[in-house]
Amino acid sequence: MDRMRELIDKLNEASKAYYAQDREIMSNYEYDALYDELVKLEKDTGITMSDSPTVNVGYESVDELPKERHAVPMLSLNKTKDREELRSWLGDMAGLLSWKLDGLTIVLTYENGELSKAVTRGNGEIGEVITANARVFRNIPHKISFTGRMVLRGEAVIKYSDFEKINAGIEDVDAKYKNPRNLCSGSVRQLNNEITAKRNVYFYAFSLVEAQNKDFAYRKEQFEFLKGLGFDVVEYHEVDKTSIRGVIEDFAAKITDYDVPSDGLVLTYDDIAYGRSLGRTAKFPRDSIAFKWQDEIKETVLREIEWSPSRTGLINPVAIFDPVELEGTTVSRASVHNISIVKGLKLGIGDRITVYKANMIIPQIAENLTGSDNLQIPTECPCCGGKTEIRSIAEAESLYCTNAECPAKKLKSFALFVSRDAMNIDGMSEATLEKFIGAGILKSLTDLYHMDRYELKIVEMEGFGQKSYDNLIGSVETSRNTNLARLIYGLGIPGIGVANARMLSRYYDNDMDRIMNATADELASIDGIGDVMASAIVAYMDDETNRSLINALRSELSFTEVAVDNSNESISGKTFVITGSLSHFANRDELKARIENLGGKVAGSVSKNTTALINNDVTSNSSKNKKAKELNVDIISEEEFIRDYLGEETG
């Protein structure tokens, strides 16, 4: 398994460099040798991991996640924060102490050696079926050597390092995710598993529910069995009453640097029969218990509540207090989340409060020692001055700005519109947009093209001058000459990324009117769109405000799309895959553009829908060549493509 994981990482790194970054970090010979070794190991072990380059996972979208009742109800665990109570609970028995991971619990079912179903915990009785999403988790085996029916439970998580990378790529502060658990929950429960695949979700097994015709006496044996099948299992250590305190301290020393979100530990009796003999209460099993960290709590003084408006209109309360040292860092701010919590804590400025770090990471208010309960809830939005209202959603009260024109709501839409893949307006950072929106310069996207009305005001703004203004206006004017795909992407239609925008533009011959009036059925029939995206496009276009905005923007822009020539029937509507080096085109992007301009499509991998694989080394044993041969897809050289499909001479 170690060698398989090493091979998978090496091959995936090489593929990313080759296909996404146009560079080679290993020769075709070396790649193919490693690939063949991986294929042999997968055959020998009967295990195929989800991120193996030998697996092609298709993306799919659904309108909703179906519900399913668990065959065995999933109970919560009884909890303690007392180390001595944990030792007393274990008594003279042997146990396994493991991380209590903070993500989303998933139940996996394997039939005939293949993953057949994945279901979320839900309410413990009924969960949501997320099988397609589970198939794109980073480390779940698609195939295992055990062919009997097998059911196991584990935690889906997004690591802190990946969480920080995802948030770092989001310019809009209000759009950033609050914590890894919330991001993981949303990622696992996506209707489009292509989004799940991009989020780097990992799965760690913590319990074997059933393995057909297999009997185990101890939990440790079950963990070893699962590891042997290719699963990552939660980190665990064997303990008894003499060693448990030391092992707890070892876990505690790791928590601040541990990359996988955790909110405590789980202690389980190693002897399975003994654990089962104890039965269960109405709420908890008696064979396991959870241990929660005893939080470090400090007393301080609440100095201010900062009300922070977001793009959705939600106004988040943030507590500002005298700085205190918690878990080795200085803390002076903590989110209070919503009005219900504000009221529950009976907050008032100057109150003595206690604060701690949830899971030893996230600052929170623990208790209000004063309880003055005199905090004034704003009746006006701090951003726009519009009226606020308290709304009750999911049994929690939150404060919202009611002004549809609130600048905070507009910031994200402006940021997307000016981004590189949309209108590509240089110099228009989110900070600059925020200044312009706050100053009343930008109210609608079309105002970007009339900022010359505010020349004097902009030149006199802090951080600006005549040169900065001239550069910005020059960038705006340059953006007027664009293409329809950039505009479509910049509109921010839910689910429509850069590639989808280009696809729509090509399919409708750069005709925005046709796109605006397309039906859901028509859109869903386009390869790569599907029902979910189609519904989102129709909903967006049916809104009169959006239609007016599109027409207003069209009057400001000049579209210079290269017309798609569908006259070449050899290419129009056909799908090609390009691999290897080229001699007649500068690079693969140039050849790809030529194919797309003739109405064709270029895919990244060979499938049954591929018309031809373009590879100058037609006799190689590369993975793409092998796949093409398996599917009876033509493998042609660059010269053959130019001669037979373009009808040109290579000279």
Side-chain angles (χ1 to χ4, degrees):
M1 285 305 305
D2 288 342
R3 178 57 176 166
M4 286 171 66
R5 292 182 189 280
E6 181 183 358
L7 289 170
I8 288 169
D9 289 343
K10 282 184 177 180
L11 291 168
N12 285 341
E13 183 182 1
S15 293
K16 180 180 179 182
Y18 187 79
Y19 293 109
Q21 300 166 351
D22 203 21
R23 62 190 182 93
E24 293 188 26
I25 61 174
M26 68 172 64
S27 67
N28 285 343
Y29 178 84
E30 182 182 0
Y31 183 95
D32 291 340
L34 296 178
Y35 185 93
D36 290 342
E37 182 184 352
L38 177 60
V39 169
K40 184 177 186 302
L41 284 172
E42 289 179 342
K43 183 178 180 180
D44 291 345
T45 62
I47 298 169
T48 305
M49 302 303 296
S50 62
D51 57 346
S52 170
T54 67
V55 176
N56 287 316
V57 180
Y59 295 133
E60 61 181 81
S61 299
V62 295
D63 291 324
E64 63 179 11
L65 296 173
K67 304 286 196 300
E68 181 170 301
R69 183 174 295 277
H70 294 296
V72 179
M74 302 182 67
L75 304 177
S76 300
L77 295 180
N78 200 5
K79 300 176 180 65
T80 181
K81 290 188 175 183
D82 190 315
R83 285 166 166 77
E84 186 56 36
E85 183 180 341
L86 205 63
R87 191 173 78 90
S88 176
W89 182 91
L90 184 60
D92 294 325
M93 301 299 296
L96 299 182
L97 191 64
S98 62
W99 290 114
K100 183 177 181 293
L101 300 183
D102 191 20
L104 199 67
T105 299
I106 306 293
V107 183
L108 302 181
T109 301
Y110 285 77
E111 304 270 6
N112 299 316
E114 296 191 4
L115 176 63
S116 62
K117 187 167 56 180
V119 185
T120 65
R121 180 186 188 279
N123 63 6
E125 296 283 343
I126 298 174
E128 294 174 309
V129 180
I130 49 100
T131 310
N133 295 351
R135 293 187 193 281
V136 297
F137 288 1
R138 287 296 304 274
N139 62 335
I140 279 185
H142 280 213
K143 295 181 180 180
I144 58 177
S145 56
F146 181 72
T147 56
R149 174 181 167 82
M150 187 178 79
V151 181
L152 70 152
R153 295 172 180 169
E155 200 80 357
V157 296
I158 289 179
K159 297 179 180 180
Y160 284 114
S161 54
D162 288 321
F163 169 75
E164 289 163 3
K165 287 177 185 176
I166 292 170
N167 262 353
I170 302 173
E171 293 184 2
D172 183 355
V173 174
D174 294 320
K176 292 180 183 291
Y177 297 98
K178 304 303 181 188
N179 55 61
R181 189 189 187 284
N182 287 355
L183 173 59
C184 181
S185 178
S187 301
V188 169
R189 300 172 64 247
Q190 279 289 330
L191 298 180
N192 182 349
N193 73 333
E194 185 173 2
I195 298 174
T196 308
K198 295 175 181 177
R199 298 282 176 80
N200 281 357
V201 180
Y202 286 82
F203 176 86
Y204 292 92
F206 60 66
S207 174
L208 178 63
V209 179
E210 173 191 348
Q212 188 176 10
N213 297 325
K214 292 282 288 186
D215 290 319
F216 299 92
Y218 299 99
R219 297 282 183 188
K220 182 184 176 183
E221 293 177 350
Q222 293 182 331
F223 277 138
E224 294 301 319
F225 171 69
L226 290 172
K227 284 197 287 186
L229 294 176
F231 292 94
D232 285 328
V233 303
V234 64
E235 181 185 340
Y236 68 93
H237 295 276
E238 296 176 80
V239 294
D240 57 28
K241 65 181 180 182
T242 61
S243 64
I244 187 169
R245 292 294 294 264
V247 176
I248 292 173
E249 295 306 322
D250 290 342
F251 273 112
K254 290 182 181 180
I255 185 67
T256 53
D257 297 320
Y258 194 50
D259 199 25
V260 181
S262 166
D263 59 353
L265 305 173
V266 174
L267 178 60
T268 303
Y269 291 119
D270 193 20
D271 189 317
I272 296 172
Y274 176 76
R276 287 175 179 166
S277 72
L278 300 175
R280 48 177 269 190
T281 69
K283 293 180 64 178
F284 310 117
R286 290 195 173 100
D287 65 346
S288 301
I289 186 172
F291 172 77
K292 305 285 284 186
W293 300 110
Q294 187 72 47
D295 301 304
E296 181 183 7
I297 297 179
K298 292 289 182 69
E299 187 176 323
T300 184
V301 177
L302 179 65
R303 297 300 181 187
E304 179 187 353
I305 292 291
E306 179 183 279
W307 299 92
S308 177
S310 73
R311 61 185 176 83
T312 63
L314 175 66
I315 302 175
N316 299 293
V318 179
I320 313 296
F321 45 82
D322 290 343
V324 291
E325 289 288 321
L326 284 176
E327 312 293 353
T329 62
T330 302
V331 177
S332 60
R333 300 167 61 90
S335 173
V336 194
H337 301 295
N338 56 51
I339 300 299
S340 292
I341 294 177
V342 169
K343 291 179 177 179
L345 288 168
K346 297 183 178 180
L347 294 177
I349 304 304
D351 283 357
R352 303 290 304 178
I353 60 174
T354 59
V355 294
Y356 70 104
K357 281 187 175 181
N359 300 339
M360 302 175 75
I361 295 172
I362 304 169
Q364 301 280 288
I365 296 177
E367 188 179 4
N368 185 357
L369 304 177
T370 307
S372 63
D373 200 20
N374 60 12
L375 186 70
Q376 296 297 311
I377 308 299
T379 57
E380 295 182 353
C381 173
C383 178
C384 69
K387 182 182 177 182
T388 64
E389 68 178 19
I390 297 175
R391 301 174 188 168
S392 182
I393 299 176
E395 300 181 0
E397 290 185 329
S398 297
L399 189 67
Y400 284 83
C401 172
T402 61
N403 178 16
E405 298 301 314
C406 179
K409 297 180 182 180
K410 295 182 177 181
L411 185 57
K412 184 182 180 184
S413 63
F414 274 98
L416 174 65
F417 189 79
V418 303
S419 66
R420 182 183 60 186
D421 290 324
M423 304 313 295
N424 194 25
I425 301 179
D426 288 334
M428 193 63 84
S429 66
E430 192 163 306
T432 299
L433 286 169
E434 191 170 10
K435 285 182 181 179
F436 286 4
I437 292 171
I441 295 170
L442 299 177
K443 298 183 180 68
S444 170
L445 293 177
T446 54
D447 292 336
L448 286 162
Y449 296 98
H450 299 284
M451 289 191 297
D452 54 335
R453 300 169 182 169
Y454 300 95
E455 178 177 357
L456 183 60
K457 189 173 185 177
I458 294 173
V459 168
E460 293 178 348
M461 293 177 75
E462 183 180 354
F464 274 84
Q466 190 63 49
K467 185 175 181 180
S468 296
Y469 167 82
D470 290 341
N471 289 340
L472 183 59
I473 294 301
S475 182
V476 168
E477 290 304 309
T478 299
S479 77
R480 287 182 183 272
N481 296 310
T482 187
N483 60 56
L484 187 60
R486 286 182 175 273
L487 173 61
I488 293 171
Y489 172 65
L491 292 173
I493 302 170
I496 302 302
V498 176
N500 303 124
R502 290 173 180 164
M503 192 181 304
L504 284 169
S505 181
R506 286 198 305 270
Y507 186 87
Y508 286 103
D509 298 328
N510 306 316
D511 188 335
M512 191 66 190
D513 289 321
R514 290 177 61 193
I515 297 173
M516 292 171 69
N517 296 309
T519 65
D521 288 343
E522 181 183 317
L523 289 162
S525 68
I526 302 173
D527 183 25
I529 297 296
D531 294 333
V532 175
M533 289 186 191
S535 297
I537 296 167
V538 170
Y540 184 91
M541 297 301 177
D542 281 348
D543 187 302
E544 284 302 322
T545 301
N546 293 336
R547 295 177 76 90
S548 297
L549 173 63
I550 292 171
N551 289 328
L553 287 170
R554 289 164 74 187
S555 69
E556 301 288 349
L557 305 173
S558 173
F559 298 105
T560 55
E561 296 281 359
V562 177
V564 174
D565 179 4
N566 292 309
S567 62
N568 186 331
E569 295 182 0
S570 297
I571 294 179
S572 180
K574 307 293 176 56
T575 300
F576 298 85
V577 174
I578 308 168
T579 189
S581 59
L582 301 173
S583 56
H584 295 280
F585 291 88
N587 49 43
R588 289 193 293 274
D589 283 340
E590 184 179 324
L591 175 53
K592 178 182 178 181
R594 183 72 184 277
I595 292 171
E596 290 179 344
N597 290 337
L598 291 171
K601 178 182 177 182
V602 176
S605 58
V606 178
S607 72
K608 63 181 181 181
N609 297 319
T610 304
T611 301
L613 169 64
I614 303 171
N615 184 357
N616 280 331
D617 190 357
V618 296
T619 61
S620 80
N621 289 317
S622 68
S623 57
K624 281 188 168 61
N625 277 24
K626 289 177 181 177
K627 190 69 173 179
K629 290 173 183 176
E630 288 175 12
L631 299 174
N632 293 318
V633 170
D634 287 340
I635 305 173
I636 60 174
S637 68
E638 184 184 4
E639 290 193 358
E640 287 176 306
F641 173 79
I642 294 171
R643 184 191 66 219
D644 298 339
Y645 286 88
L646 294 180
E648 300 172 0
E649 296 295 329
T650 59

